[in-house]
Amino acid sequence: MATWAIGDIQGCHDELARLLDLIRYDQARDTLWFCGDLVNRGGQSLEVLRLVRSLNAGTVVVLGNHDLSLLAIAERSEQDQAKVNPELRAVLFAPDRSELLDWLRRRPLLHADRELGYMIVHAGLAPRWDVAQAERVAREIENRLRADDYRRLLKQMFGNRPDFWSPKLRGIERLRAGINMFTRLRYCDVRGRIAFAEKGTPGTQRPGLYPWFEVPGQAKRDLRIVCGHWSTLGRFAGLGVYAIDTGCVWGGALTAMRLDVEEPEFVALKSNRPKPVGKDGD
């Protein structure tokens, strides 16, 4: 019985299938955690959604920014939906579209397992959040995504303001700030303000910015954090953080990390995709 966390798939179905073979995944026995961004750019998003949804009940998927974007696009007019890229159109006009999107919308933003000693999110946590506060914010947003009026949130959740978290925030600004932390965070300043445009490797950012997990005065957390989202960071382990987006869709690799062992084990499947010129991972 094994528990594996898997990095950003982004529509790379064939690589995911090969990686599951490589780690000898047994659906009757093993558990998979996915760190979000199941869809977009790899060309096989529909196949990825169908495969992941078909896995056992213990499978965990946290929402990424691309997953939320797909859900938001699905609320537009049919004419507007027809204008998106062919990969997402395949999902939006699939016969099982409703079942797939409803399943995706009900995925969490954060999953924690205190017995294993790990939690998983897509991008990161606000520097001042401990685990309990992060869980409270995640549940607040998840409840809204699962409520009858979820469409209101999907239509209003995008935007770079506010670019920080404060417990004083209310309404859509509070929800949007939480979503930005969980799904878009890479760099921020000492006050926790997100630098959305910074996507490069550590050391390339503007002065005064830090990787979110290196901000001075970081909250103490009693769980190790698994995350993705930051393909230019690549595989990283330190400061209680394990980043496993190794840029499969960008010609890198798809990485699995085993969690139920004393020291985490990593298995990476090299992608055969060409690396796009002048593209940043997102």
Side-chain angles (χ1 to χ4, degrees):
M1 182 174 180
T3 300
W4 293 90
I6 296 179
D8 298 34
I9 301 167
Q10 289 200 250
C12 297
H13 170 273
D14 293 349
E15 290 87 344
L16 173 59
R18 294 203 304 272
L19 181 63
L20 295 183
D21 287 340
L22 192 59
I23 64 175
R24 299 178 181 176
Y25 169 65
D26 183 338
Q27 185 166 341
R29 181 188 63 193
D30 299 334
T31 301
L32 298 177
W33 292 11
F34 292 93
C35 67
D37 278 3
L38 297 183
V39 303
N40 205 18
R41 293 197 173 121
Q44 300 170 303
S45 290
L46 178 58
E47 294 83 354
V48 168
L49 288 172
R50 286 172 172 167
L51 172 58
V52 176
R53 182 171 177 258
S54 75
L55 299 175
N56 63 40
T59 301
V60 172
V61 179
V62 294
L63 290 166
N65 52 304
H66 285 282
D67 307 316
L68 288 170
S69 178
L70 172 62
L71 291 171
I73 291 168
E75 297 307 319
R76 299 176 187 171
S77 70
E78 187 171 310
Q79 183 178 14
D80 284 343
Q81 291 179 47
K83 296 176 183 178
V84 301
N85 67 53
E87 180 177 2
L88 295 185
R89 285 205 307 270
V91 177
L92 294 167
F93 292 93
D96 52 348
R97 159 211 162 105
S98 295
E99 293 85 353
L100 292 171
L101 295 179
D102 187 63
W103 169 83
L104 186 64
R105 178 171 56 84
R106 295 176 184 277
R107 297 312 94 198
L109 285 161
L110 178 157
H111 175 76
D113 187 318
R114 285 172 171 76
E115 184 174 342
L116 279 177
Y118 285 97
M119 61 185 292
I120 187 168
V121 295
H122 177 59
L125 302 182
R128 303 294 185 264
W129 284 351
D130 59 18
V131 175
Q133 184 171 6
E135 288 181 301
R136 286 194 296 271
V137 177
R139 300 296 93 86
E140 186 176 342
I141 299 166
E142 291 159 12
N143 288 339
R144 289 294 300 274
L145 282 171
R146 298 167 186 174
D148 291 342
D149 64 345
Y150 69 89
R151 291 181 174 86
R152 182 179 178 187
L153 174 57
L154 289 176
K155 291 176 180 178
Q156 296 179 315
M157 68 181 172
F158 291 117
N160 293 350
R161 294 289 183 272
D163 57 0
F164 65 96
W165 172 261
S166 167
K168 296 179 181 179
L169 291 170
R170 294 291 181 267
I172 188 60
E173 288 196 339
R174 180 181 178 89
L175 298 171
R176 185 185 298 131
I179 289 170
N180 283 340
M181 291 294 170
F182 285 121
T183 69
R184 300 180 65 196
L185 182 60
R186 293 186 186 92
Y187 291 104
C188 56
D189 63 18
V190 292
R191 295 177 295 174
R193 292 185 179 274
I194 303 175
F196 293 103
E198 297 281 351
K199 301 179 181 180
T201 57
T204 64
Q205 75 269 29
R206 291 180 284 109
L209 297 177
Y210 302 83
W212 65 268
F213 46 81
E214 291 184 355
V215 174
Q218 197 85 196
K220 292 184 179 180
R221 302 178 181 116
D222 57 356
L223 295 176
R224 292 166 286 184
I225 303 169
V226 181
C227 60
H229 183 60
W230 196 347
S231 62
T232 55
L233 175 65
R235 201 182 95 188
F236 171 86
L239 304 173
V241 172
Y242 295 86
I244 56 171
D245 178 7
T246 45
C248 180
V249 76
W250 305 108
L254 187 61
T255 294
M257 172 184 168
R258 187 167 180 179
L259 307 178
D260 63 310
V261 287
E262 187 172 343
E263 288 297 326
E265 300 171 3
F266 296 90
V267 176
L269 178 85
K270 182 70 177 69
S271 170
N272 293 324
R273 297 167 185 266
K275 181 175 177 59
V277 177
K279 293 284 187 179
D280 292 321
D282 191 7

